[in-house]
Amino acid sequence: MGATFRTASARAVRERAMGLEGPRTGQGGAARLREIAADVFGWDTLLPEQLTAMEWVLAGEDTLVVMPTGSGKSAVYQVPALMLSGPVVVVSPLLALQRDQIAGLPDGDRAPGAVAVNSDLGAARTEAAWEAVRRGDAGFMYLSPEQLAKDEVVERLAAVRPALFVVDEAQCVSSWGHDFRPDYLRLEQAVRRVGRPPVLALTATAAPPVRKEITERLGMRRPRLMVTGFDRPNITLEVRRFLDEDDRRRALVERAATEPKPGIVYAATRKDSEFYAAELASLGLAAEGYHAGLRATERARIHDAFLSGAADVVVATSAFGMGIDKEDVRFVLHASLPGSLDAYYQEIGRCGRDGRRALAVLHYRAQDTGMQTYFAARGAGRDTLSEVADAVHDRRGDPAGLDELRQETGLSGNRVTAAVNLLEEVDAVATGDEGEIHPAPGVSPGQAAEQAAQAAQAHRRSDKSRVEMARAYAETTGCRRRFLLGYFGEEYAASCGNCDTCDEEGDEEGAEKGHGEPTAHPAAATYPVGTEVRHEQWGEGTVLSEDRDRITVLFDHAGYHTLSLEALATRDGLLTVLRRPGQDRSAT
DNA sequence: CGTTTCATAATTAGTTATGAAACGGTGCACTAAT
């Protein structure tokens, strides 16, 4: 992606080479890391996964860490920071999260200071923050992707020569970068322009295609991957399907009222979050509705009430969750189908962090897919792409930055950025070292817009197929845990015995069969989870999960599809095996 | 894509039917008025 025009500056290459030599690598590293973790941060033990990832970071390797919340992801950059020769840039999506991270750092003399630069700061405090970084008083600088989209910020950052570029909550690159916060897809340019330090991406939830998108979109080179297990065996999984909307509402209210507290209910709309909160409050519960339409003070109040235990239930849209680190949440109920299993797993992962029993119930109606596909179907249109492609082309003699393109087209900043991202994805434009947008030689604006529109169409197809995967989870007759873990690339052969479908199987066929292996179609052995395949029509893809009689495949360009094993067995050549799981897949 | 809202019509004076239009989620940064 974008490889044709990527301009690697000589300085970036030289600095990268310097980062790889010296006394940082080797056996001494681990002992020193442990020492710093204990002396400065007060952590007496480091998990082997943490330590390994830290060593990669010290060795200057680009690294993607996928570890659950609460397992010490932040330590992976905080501890090595003391052994690096420059400041650490941390990209974080929410200002509240930046504040939490800074507040969580130790105070001691030996701990590096931290600053956040954002729109909350006045001019004087912004200057003070930069000065602290320049003097070396602040070892961490927290920024939003929008800050890094500004030329001034990038130039000042380049001058302080960051030693590491961290992207926290890196799933945002994939989930928000395409439309909502397009500056997430411009981080690769920012990394390059600040001198191309090593990149560390951190996330709690990322299915294999999301991991691929993160590493590609951030321009990570031969990325190291650290993934710990996804399974959360203490969370009971259940789906309840309804035909009637009123039935669903009653069932959800009853469930939220009767299950042990505290809990979170996720609703699809702001209106629903208020409806359910009012219903629960009328039953005498301390219930609060939460969504992005509330005033900041009100949101903070509810957030605090939930953390302190003053609120039993928060009924929220997807706005609630990031930064919620509460151990004793007993349930997460969904009042509607989520837009993807990535979102779903992230949301249900907020219960049962103390390891005790917790419950995740999805209340589903077939009509729910409507709104989710509506969300998935939006994106940059042909008109916008043409307009932006024309503007870039017109300025080919004197290439414009994003701000100028916004003025010249009269389009909003987000729309221009999203359009440029798509044009850049198809190599129709490229971003230079000053942030200026060059048209690719030999590509007409018409061709550029056409290719970008096709790329946008591909994203929409992919998003819609994610909705279909969420629906498939809701409708599967097999073990729900096996389905979910398969989606995240983890093989789980047995049935879990802790989801509604496993319970039913036990009821029908006797207890001894409840936890056993289901009888799979003989063709299942041909396509184990993780197999890379090629389909006659849909091209190349990866097997994600198996049910008794069918497999689900994620195709690189056609999204998720479910295939009947019977059909595969009878039609030779329909699905060819390219590579089996376990065969080495070299990083690129 | 599905649901809700609103205007209009048809019905006969308070209510209901119909069809078109609007709406639906996530945050930062920035500006302007207090």
Side-chain angles (χ1 to χ4, degrees):
Chain A
M1 186 191 318
T4 326
F5 293 78
R6 198 167 289 160
T7 51
S9 80
R11 200 189 87 188
V13 171
R14 201 163 53 238
E15 286 186 350
R16 175 134 170 101
M18 285 166 67
L20 285 166
E21 61 184 31
R24 298 172 183 169
T25 53
Q27 277 88 357
R32 185 85 186 96
L33 286 164
R34 283 206 191 86
E35 201 177 295
I36 292 172
D39 294 353
V40 180
F41 294 90
W43 299 319
D44 292 334
T45 56
L46 291 176
L47 300 171
E49 294 85 1
Q50 285 177 302
L51 195 58
T52 303
M54 288 177 191
E55 290 179 299
W56 290 340
V57 167
L58 277 186
E61 308 228 37
D62 288 351
T63 302
L64 170 62
V65 173
V66 187
M67 278 167 61
T69 307
S71 61
K73 271 194 303 294
S74 300
V76 173
Y77 69 85
Q78 287 167 343
V79 176
L82 277 87
M83 298 169 70
L84 296 171
S85 56
V88 174
V89 179
V90 185
V91 179
S92 174
L94 307 181
L95 302 186
L97 230 45
Q98 298 176 13
R99 284 190 284 270
D100 289 352
Q101 290 273 307
I102 291 175
L105 287 166
D107 293 331
D109 294 345
R110 301 180 51 198
V115 294
V117 169
N118 54 54
S119 58
D120 279 2
L121 256 57
R125 288 162 69 202
T126 302
E127 286 310 312
W130 280 107
E131 184 55 27
V133 174
R134 199 159 41 233
R135 280 199 314 264
D137 294 344
F140 300 105
M141 183 169 231
Y142 288 83
L143 296 166
S144 67
E146 287 78 10
Q147 287 290 329
L148 282 157
K150 300 197 291 184
D151 290 335
E152 188 210 343
V153 171
V154 168
E155 282 157 20
R156 298 185 86 162
L157 210 48
V160 298
R161 299 175 162 263
L164 178 65
F165 194 99
V166 182
V167 181
D168 200 8
E169 303 286 357
Q171 76 283 357
C172 294
V173 171
S174 161
S175 62
W176 285 351
H178 294 289
D179 45 7
F180 181 51
R181 293 178 71 178
D183 289 324
Y184 258 106
L185 293 188
R186 311 232 23 102
L187 290 177
E188 177 181 6
Q189 328 298 344
V191 171
R192 200 182 67 215
R193 292 171 65 196
V194 302
R196 193 46 180 85
V199 176
L200 169 66
L202 306 172
T203 179
T205 316
V210 173
R211 291 173 208 163
K212 187 164 173 251
E213 181 158 31
I214 291 169
T215 55
E216 285 181 358
R217 293 293 188 155
L218 293 178
M220 292 167 71
R221 301 170 184 165
R222 302 187 62 81
R224 293 285 202 160
L225 178 62
M226 175 59 73
V227 186
T228 62
F230 270 86
D231 192 16
R232 300 281 307 280
N234 60 314
I235 302 177
T236 302
L237 302 173
E238 184 181 328
V239 177
R240 295 204 53 197
R241 196 175 172 182
F242 299 88
L243 296 175
D244 182 75
E245 178 64 25
D246 289 337
D247 288 347
R248 161 162 73 185
R249 287 176 186 255
R250 270 192 296 274
L252 187 120
V253 169
E254 190 187 327
R255 199 66 183 269
T258 51
E259 290 291 338
K261 314 291 181 292
I264 303 172
V265 174
Y266 278 105
T269 63
R270 295 175 175 188
K271 202 174 165 189
D272 274 357
S273 78
E274 289 178 359
F275 166 82
Y276 285 114
E279 288 288 304
L280 291 170
S282 75
L283 295 174
L285 292 167
E288 303 276 6
Y290 183 101
H291 54 75
L294 302 177
R295 327 184 60 114
T297 50
E298 180 70 352
R299 291 181 67 168
R301 181 188 68 75
I302 296 168
H303 186 110
D304 292 345
F306 188 68
L307 291 187
S308 73
D312 296 322
V313 181
V314 170
V315 189
T317 60
S318 59
F320 188 71
M322 252 193 261
I324 298 286
D325 199 1
K326 186 172 168 63
E327 293 251 287
D328 61 348
V329 179
R330 295 273 64 85
F331 65 77
V332 172
L333 306 183
H334 278 74
S336 183
L337 189 76
S340 71
L341 287 182
D342 304 84
Y344 187 65
Y345 206 62
Q346 191 151 40
E347 287 165 355
I348 68 173
R350 293 178 184 134
C351 72
R353 288 193 183 152
D354 53 10
R356 295 173 51 216
R357 269 187 89 79
L359 177 69
V361 188
L362 169 58
H363 297 72
Y364 163 68
R365 284 183 75 211
Q367 288 87 338
D368 294 349
T369 52
M371 199 176 75
Q372 296 305 335
T373 44
Y374 156 77
F375 284 138
R378 296 183 318 170
R382 221 14 235 276
D383 294 350
T384 308
L385 289 167
S386 294
E387 224 173 316
V388 174
D390 284 340
V392 172
H393 187 76
D394 291 347
R395 288 288 298 266
R396 63 194 175 281
D398 172 28
L402 287 173
D403 285 342
E404 291 167 286
L405 290 176
R406 179 163 50 81
Q407 282 163 20
E408 287 179 17
T409 57
L411 297 165
S412 78
N414 270 5
R415 292 183 73 183
V416 170
T417 306
V420 168
N421 287 341
L422 281 163
L423 290 164
E424 194 152 1
E425 180 181 337
V426 298
D427 288 336
V429 308
T431 303
D433 283 339
E434 307 314 25
E436 76 284 11
I437 315 293
H438 301 269
V443 182
S444 76
Q447 290 168 331
E450 172 58 29
Q451 288 167 13
Q454 282 177 19
Q457 186 62 37
H459 292 312
R460 284 194 280 271
R461 269 199 303 272
S462 158
D463 285 351
K464 285 183 186 173
S465 77
R466 281 181 219 214
V467 177
E468 284 309 308
M469 282 301 284
R471 179 221 286 264
Y473 168 78
E475 294 183 349
T476 187
T477 53
C479 169
R480 301 220 192 265
R481 194 169 312 271
R482 178 163 6 105
F483 192 103
L484 265 184
L485 293 177
Y487 183 83
F488 289 104
E490 251 181 58
E491 211 167 338
Y492 190 91
S495 299
C496 73
N498 194 20
C499 69
D500 53 351
T501 55
C502 285
D503 288 349
E504 280 165 27
E505 209 167 90
D507 293 343
E508 286 164 18
E509 306 178 32
E512 76 274 19
K513 236 195 149 196
H515 296 223
E517 191 129 3
T519 353
H521 189 279
T526 316
Y527 307 104
V529 170
T531 305
E532 292 182 22
V533 292
R534 183 188 292 116
H535 188 272
E536 273 182 358
Q537 185 187 345
W538 294 315
E540 294 188 11
T542 309
V543 178
L544 280 187
S545 71
E546 298 168 349
D547 253 344
R548 221 160 299 219
D549 55 349
R550 57 196 171 171
I551 57 174
T552 301
V553 181
L554 174 67
F555 292 98
D556 295 348
H557 299 293
Y560 294 97
H561 285 276
T562 301
L563 302 165
S564 142
L565 285 166
E566 187 57 39
L568 295 177
T570 48
R571 273 203 52 197
D572 230 27
L574 183 62
L575 194 69
T576 323
V577 173
L578 297 178
R579 188 161 26 194
R580 306 231 164 232
Q583 282 181 297
D584 189 33
R585 195 190 313 183
S586 61
T588 42

